[in-house]
């Protein structure tokens, strides 16, 4: 599931960017800003630094004196351009680094900090594998070197010369084979960090070449855009939250910095690849742990981290004009294509860290890697090696619901559909083509009701899932590439138990996975997730026009982290409207708990699988008091969504990460059902279900502690009531009185959407 990367997370191997739509780009790198910095507005009552709602910081110049000591000039305003004049030296930090040459070519390089510490292996009483001191990049913050001009401008002079680094640091660098010499003709970078303000997001960056301070277009290794990281991380905010820009991260997280305790490098391109791979690292699979010892000896173990998409999707983090072509959701950077063009021992070996791969890498000259790992080489290009063939194959299948007939109560719906290949424009012959008839293939057509809130009462099953047919042999070939499937169960008219007719509107769905041999290897065909399709139909709407189910979540928001949302063996893919037909308020895992091979430990007889409670409960594993446990298909697996499994990378309080702008606000839509927590003696009859009131159910899916639940109960929430009590008004939630739009604890304010 979703992965959060708690301590040291960013992306790529250097550089960054902040050019996403809606993001203030700030000053570009190079010899200071190309255009003048924002003017400072004089104000007799300047905004206190600690209270500013927004900080705008600009480095206006970096100069070196005759001894190569750097002085940084910068200015600071609030979001209105009003000068901030009371910045304290304890609330600002400075880094300075050079971009060293690389044997891989002029379009690559390695950052090396000039400011470093020596870390002993047991600095905080943590006993680990390290036995030797190691160099670690750091920052400067010397109070005596800080000057406040009292007009919103400031300066800071570094405490050391770039050409006269302390002897103990030089000795340690020499021992590790590091080059800390001053190279005036190389790109240099200064970055500032601001602390002591809860709204701090500023990490201003200044790149220049000391030997040619007037040069423009300075090469700066712009590989990974911060905005791309923030598609998941919301935002990238590390080491207390004030380090938010990849261009800043690389000034310390470079090849010259190592964790002395674990002996693992904290080089950006190695550390980030490894921690995103986490549980899937070959070394972890072989029994090793991957961890970093952080501030004051805290151990950050990434061996259990599960990345929420295919790790081969390299372009999600670093994308250039070639590899990122056609991706409007990504920020392209100048060296964003480097991952596909310049193989390196550090970057490649970070993911491929198994014994065999490491032996291969160790036996090669890095400069020669591209002779094999290229489009003309023996091993093929890096991009080809990272192709996701199954994902590519899925693009050859497009399902469409063309019509839904016979949908009145008492009638068996007939769903007409087709599955085409967008690449060829041809329709798939699902009755004869091995993609649909071969071993392991699956195609299911289903219907569900009603769209106010799916309940599927009268589906003649022992759960509240949709009605389906997978009997391809019974599908009618219409002769035009389309097929018609008749549902095995009629839309209930109330004549059969439990005596409740369907009404309103319903939905028809197409789901499943064809099979294809995507790589021509002996293993045979693989299942191919096919993007599901749905369409709404009227059951007995007065005007015959179907009413769609409410939209509260945007699929693209899910895909920002997941890449593709493909679950249940690849059968249910990228269609939330299809998911909720089964993951509805009446459905639970009861029948699967009864045969669970690994019974849950939560003490419950059943757990709701309603989408709004289940998905919240999964993503909120880090803040829940009780891990959500759900028994899956056939009782084979009990899914325990705890902190070992789920590492959400964003801000849980930001509901718009997943929801539409109004999709999480109160009051809830009319018709939303209570959430069943006990299906009673008759699973087919909802009248004996015990339900939780809908607002309390969704809020308690994250806030499941007794204090929060008591608060909900005191305001009309009920954790053991009936739908009849809700429908009659006997039980009424009053949550909107305080948490509704415009109220004093408005959900849209409390949950702080950006």
């Amino acid at each position: 599931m979703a992965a959060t990367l708690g301590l040291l997370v960013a992306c790529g191997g250097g550089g960054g960017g902040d050019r996403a739509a809606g993001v203030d780009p700030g000053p570009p790198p190079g010899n200071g800003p190309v255009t003048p910095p924002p003017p400072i507005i004089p104000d007799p009552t300047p905004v206190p630094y600690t209270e500013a709602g927004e900080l705008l910081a600009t480095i206006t110049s970096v100069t070196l004196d005759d001894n190569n000591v750097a002085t940084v000039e910068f200015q600071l305003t609030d979001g209105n351009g009003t000068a901030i004049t009371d910045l304290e030296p304890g609330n600002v930090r400075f880094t300075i680094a050079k971009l060293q040459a690389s044997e891989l070519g002029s379009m690559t390089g390695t950052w090396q900090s000039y400011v470093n510490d020596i870390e002993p292996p047991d600095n905080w009483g943590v006993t680990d594998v390290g036995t030797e001191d190691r160099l670690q990049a750091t920052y400067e913050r010397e109070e005596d070197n800080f000057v406040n001009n009292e007009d919103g401008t400031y300066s800071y002079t570094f405490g050391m010369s770039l050409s006269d680094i302390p002897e103990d640091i030089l000795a340690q660098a020499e021992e590790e084979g590091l080059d800390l010499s001053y190279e005036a003709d190389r790109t240099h970078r200064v970055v500032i960090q601001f602390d002591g303000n809860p709204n701090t997001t500023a990490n201003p960056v200044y790149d220049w070449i000391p030997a040619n301070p007037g040069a423009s277009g300075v090469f700066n290794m712009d590989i990974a855009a911060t905005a791309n990281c923030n598609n998941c991380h919301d935002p990238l905010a590390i080491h207390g939250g004030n380090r938010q820009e990849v261009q800043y991260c690389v000034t310390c997280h470079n090849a010259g910095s190592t964790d002395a305790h674990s002996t693992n490098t904290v080089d950006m391109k190695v550390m980030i690849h490894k921690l995103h791979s986490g549980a899937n690292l070959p070394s972890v699979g072989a029994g090793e742990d991957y961890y970093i010892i952080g501030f004051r000896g805290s151990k950050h173990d990434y061996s259990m981290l599960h990345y929420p998409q295919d790790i081969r999707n390299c372009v999600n983090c670093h994308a250039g004009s070639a590899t990122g072509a056609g991706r409007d959701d990504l920020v392209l950077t100048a060296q964003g294509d480097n991952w596909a063009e310049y193989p390196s021992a550090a970057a490649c070996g970070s993911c491929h860290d198994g014994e065999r791969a490491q032996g291969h890498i160790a036996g090669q000259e890095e400069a020669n890697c591209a002779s094999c790992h290229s489009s003309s080489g023996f091993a093929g290009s890096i991009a080809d090696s990272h192709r996701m063939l199954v994902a590519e194959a899925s693009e050859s299948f497009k399902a469409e619901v063309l019509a839904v007939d016979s949908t009145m109560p008492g009638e068996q719906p007939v769903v007409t559909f087709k599955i085409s290949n967008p690449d060829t424009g041809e329709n798939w012959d699902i009755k004869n083509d091995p993609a649909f008839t071969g071993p392991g293939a699956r195609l299911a057509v289903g219907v569900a009701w009603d769209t106010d809130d799916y309940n599927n009462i009268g589906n003649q099953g022992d759960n509240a899932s949709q009605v389906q047919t997978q009997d391809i042999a019974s599908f009618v070939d219409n002769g035009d590439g389309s097929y018609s499937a008749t549902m095995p169960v009629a839309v209930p008219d109330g004549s059969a138990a439990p005596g409740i007719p369907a009404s309103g509107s319903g939905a028809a769905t197409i789901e499943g996975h064809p099979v294809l041999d995507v790589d021509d290897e002996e293993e045979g065909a693989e299942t191919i997730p096919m993007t599901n399709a749905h369409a709404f139909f009227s059951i007995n709407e007065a005007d015959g026009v179907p009413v769609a189910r409410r939209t509260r979540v945007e699929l693209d928001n899910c895909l920002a982290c997941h890449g593709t949302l493909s679950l249940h063996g690849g059968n249910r893919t990228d269609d939330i409207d299809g998911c909720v037909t089964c993951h509805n308020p009446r459905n639970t895992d009861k029948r699967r708990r009864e045969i669970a091979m690994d019974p849950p430990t939560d003490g419950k007889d059943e757990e709701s699988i309603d989408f709004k409670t289940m998905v919240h409960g999964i993503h909120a594993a880090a803040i829940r008091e009780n891990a959500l446990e759900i028994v899956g298909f056939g009782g084979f697996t009990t899914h325990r969504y705890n902190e070992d499994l789920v590492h959400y990378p964003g801000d849980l309080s930001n509901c718009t990460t997943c929801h539409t702008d109004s999709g999480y606000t109160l009051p809830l839509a009319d018709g939303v059902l209570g959430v069943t927590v006990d299906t009673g003696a008759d699973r087919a009859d909802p009248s004996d279900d015990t339900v939780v009131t809908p607002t309390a159910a969704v809020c308690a899916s994250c806030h499941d502690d007794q204090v929060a639940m008591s608060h909900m109960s005191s305001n009309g929430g009920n954790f053991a009531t009936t739908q009849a009590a809700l429908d009659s008004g006997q039980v009424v939630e009053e949550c909107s009185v305080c948490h509704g739009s415009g109220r004093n604890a408005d959900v849209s304010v409390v949950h702080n959407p950006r």
Side-chain angles (χ1 to χ4, degrees):
M1 302 304 298
T4 191
L5 313 174
L7 165 71
L8 299 164
V9 184
C11 294
D18 52 2
R19 296 184 295 281
V23 176
D24 182 358
N31 183 34
V34 174
T35 56
I40 295 177
I41 301 172
D43 192 325
T45 56
V47 177
Y49 170 79
T50 58
E51 298 176 13
E54 183 180 7
L55 294 177
L56 299 178
T58 303
I59 299 174
T60 55
S61 70
V62 179
T63 56
L64 300 178
D65 65 13
D66 292 341
N67 295 317
N68 295 321
V69 175
T71 297
V72 185
E73 305 279 350
F74 64 99
Q75 68 178 46
L76 189 62
T77 71
D78 68 3
N80 297 316
T82 305
I84 294 176
T85 62
D86 63 339
L87 177 67
E88 298 286 341
N91 283 331
V92 65
R93 316 181 196 202
F94 301 84
T95 65
I96 187 167
K98 64 175 179 177
L99 184 57
Q100 294 175 319
S102 165
E103 63 180 14
L104 296 179
S106 61
M107 296 303 292
T108 67
T110 302
W111 290 101
Q112 175 60 60
S113 174
Y114 284 107
V115 184
N116 299 277
D117 280 336
I118 298 174
E119 182 183 64
D122 199 11
N123 200 25
W124 294 98
V126 177
T127 302
D128 279 288
V129 297
T131 60
E132 300 178 353
D133 292 349
R134 299 304 296 260
L135 206 66
Q136 271 195 1
T138 187
Y139 58 85
E140 263 202 25
R141 182 167 57 187
E142 298 291 339
E143 183 173 350
D144 292 343
N145 298 358
F146 177 85
V147 176
N148 182 349
N149 298 317
E150 300 184 352
D151 60 356
T153 66
Y154 304 83
S155 69
Y156 180 82
T157 300
F158 279 86
M160 67 171 195
S161 164
L162 301 185
S163 55
D164 189 17
I165 293 172
E167 288 298 325
D168 60 333
I169 299 295
L170 287 176
Q172 182 65 37
E174 183 177 3
E175 185 174 332
E176 296 184 33
L178 302 173
D179 179 10
L180 303 189
S181 64
Y182 172 54
E183 297 180 82
D185 60 343
R186 306 297 304 174
T187 300
H188 283 57
R189 172 173 292 174
V190 167
V191 188
I192 305 176
Q193 174 183 329
F194 295 93
D195 303 318
N197 179 302
N199 302 307
T200 297
T201 60
N203 291 147
V205 177
Y206 188 100
D207 289 346
W208 89 109
I209 299 174
N212 187 7
S216 60
V218 174
F219 176 66
N220 59 12
M221 278 287 287
D222 198 4
I223 284 181
T226 304
N228 296 344
C229 302
N230 288 343
N231 283 337
C232 281
H233 286 283
D234 184 37
L236 189 68
I238 311 301
H239 299 294
N242 294 337
R243 301 172 193 181
Q244 299 192 9
E245 170 56 57
V246 175
Q247 290 178 313
Y248 176 26
C249 299
V250 296
T251 61
C252 287
H253 286 284
N254 49 62
S257 287
T258 302
D259 168 26
H261 308 294
S262 67
T263 71
N264 285 320
T265 179
V266 294
D267 184 13
M268 196 78 166
K269 60 183 171 290
V270 176
M271 181 188 72
I272 299 308
H273 284 154
K274 290 184 79 72
L275 62 87
H276 279 79
S277 295
N280 292 318
L281 284 169
S283 61
V284 171
E288 299 179 22
D289 291 333
Y290 176 66
Y291 63 93
I292 300 289
I293 301 298
F295 183 63
R296 294 189 176 178
S298 56
K299 184 176 182 178
H300 300 269
D301 192 336
Y302 300 103
S303 306
M304 291 292 291
L305 193 143
H306 294 79
Y307 190 56
Q309 59 174 288
D310 194 319
I311 195 66
R312 294 173 297 176
N313 195 7
C314 304
V315 73
N316 249 21
C317 298
H318 22 67
S321 58
T323 58
R327 287 287 299 270
D328 295 336
D329 58 324
L330 296 176
V331 172
L332 308 185
T333 60
Q335 285 77 49
D337 293 328
N338 275 19
W339 69 270
E341 298 174 354
Y342 300 101
S344 71
C348 298
S350 59
C351 289
H352 304 285
D353 70 347
E355 184 176 344
R356 181 179 178 183
Q358 289 295 304
H360 169 75
I361 291 169
Q364 310 299 319
E365 290 289 336
E366 188 170 64
N368 295 330
C369 293
S371 62
C372 288
H373 295 281
S374 63
S375 57
S376 59
F378 171 78
S381 70
I382 302 169
D384 279 346
S385 297
H386 288 79
R387 284 177 62 191
M388 296 174 288
L389 298 177
V390 170
E392 291 178 15
S394 70
E395 297 175 2
S396 297
F397 299 89
K398 180 183 179 181
E400 297 175 82
V401 178
L402 303 177
V404 189
D405 299 304
S406 302
T407 60
M408 294 182 65
E411 296 182 332
Q412 291 176 256
V414 177
V415 180
T416 300
F417 67 96
K418 71 174 181 179
I419 300 174
S420 61
N421 184 337
D423 296 330
T424 64
E426 298 178 351
N427 296 318
W428 287 93
D429 180 357
I430 65 172
K431 283 180 168 286
N432 299 296
D433 196 292
F436 290 93
T437 62
R442 181 177 183 274
L443 179 64
V445 183
V447 296
W449 55 82
D450 60 89
T451 57
D452 276 352
D453 218 2
Y454 293 110
N455 55 72
N456 300 321
I457 298 169
N459 65 359
Q460 299 184 19
D462 63 351
N463 58 31
S465 296
Q466 62 171 227
V467 172
Q468 276 192 349
T469 176
Q470 303 176 47
D471 184 12
I472 292 180
S474 70
F475 296 175
V476 175
D477 186 343
N478 297 317
D480 59 357
S482 71
Y483 299 84
S484 295
T486 300
M487 294 299 103
V489 174
V491 177
D493 59 6
S495 61
I500 301 173
S503 63
S505 298
T509 65
I510 310 293
E511 53 111 322
H513 56 237
V515 293
L516 286 178
D517 187 351
V518 298
D519 53 13
D520 297 323
E521 294 185 359
E522 294 181 0
E523 286 80 0
E526 296 189 59
T527 57
I528 308 299
M530 176 183 70
T531 299
N532 298 169
H534 69 273
F536 300 106
F537 60 85
S538 169
I539 297 173
N540 60 0
E541 301 287 356
D543 57 4
V545 177
V547 176
R549 200 250 189 195
R550 63 189 182 275
T551 298
R552 292 294 181 264
V553 172
E554 293 288 354
L555 176 65
D556 285 346
N557 294 347
C558 303
L559 301 188
C561 277
H562 287 284
T564 184
L565 200 63
S566 187
L567 303 164
H568 299 289
N571 285 304
R572 288 93 193 231
T573 302
D574 292 345
D575 183 27
I576 293 172
D577 276 291
C579 296
V580 295
T581 60
C582 289
H583 287 281
N584 60 61
R586 286 200 59 241
N587 226 352
T588 76
D589 69 350
K590 185 176 179 65
R591 63 182 181 137
R592 289 171 178 172
R593 282 197 176 218
E594 293 171 341
I595 57 172
M597 293 183 176
D598 177 19
T601 58
D602 56 9
K604 299 180 180 180
D605 292 328
E606 53 192 307
E607 178 65 71
S608 172
I609 58 170
D610 185 20
F611 216 57
K612 64 178 176 289
T613 58
M614 183 187 70
V615 173
H616 284 150
I618 291 171
H619 286 76
I623 67 169
R624 282 176 60 100
E625 285 201 351
N626 307 289
L628 178 66
E629 297 186 61
I630 294 176
V631 181
F633 177 72
F636 297 121
T637 305
T638 295
H639 302 278
R640 293 181 173 89
Y641 297 107
N642 54 36
E643 289 186 88
D644 288 336
L645 180 68
V646 181
H647 311 84
Y648 185 67
D651 179 357
L652 278 168
S653 71
N654 184 10
C655 298
T656 55
T657 300
C658 302
H659 287 276
T660 62
D661 289 343
S662 61
Y664 63 99
T665 57
L666 294 180
L668 298 179
D670 292 339
V672 176
L673 299 173
V675 174
T676 295
V677 292
D678 185 338
T679 50
D682 185 349
R683 298 182 194 177
D685 188 349
S687 65
D688 67 350
D689 288 5
T690 300
V691 307
V692 180
T693 50
T695 305
V698 69
C699 293
S701 60
C702 290
H703 306 287
D704 69 331
D705 61 277
Q706 288 301 314
V707 173
M709 294 172 70
S710 176
H711 168 76
M712 297 174 209
S713 297
S714 298
N715 291 277
N718 195 310
F719 292 88
T721 185
T722 65
Q723 188 62 44
L726 290 171
D727 294 340
S728 68
Q730 180 182 344
V731 174
V732 178
E733 292 184 308
E734 299 173 340
C735 308
S736 297
V737 173
C738 292
H739 297 290
S741 298
R743 299 291 183 164
N744 65 321
D746 185 344
V747 174
S748 66
V749 175
V750 173
H751 280 271
N752 189 32
R754 290 176 176 83

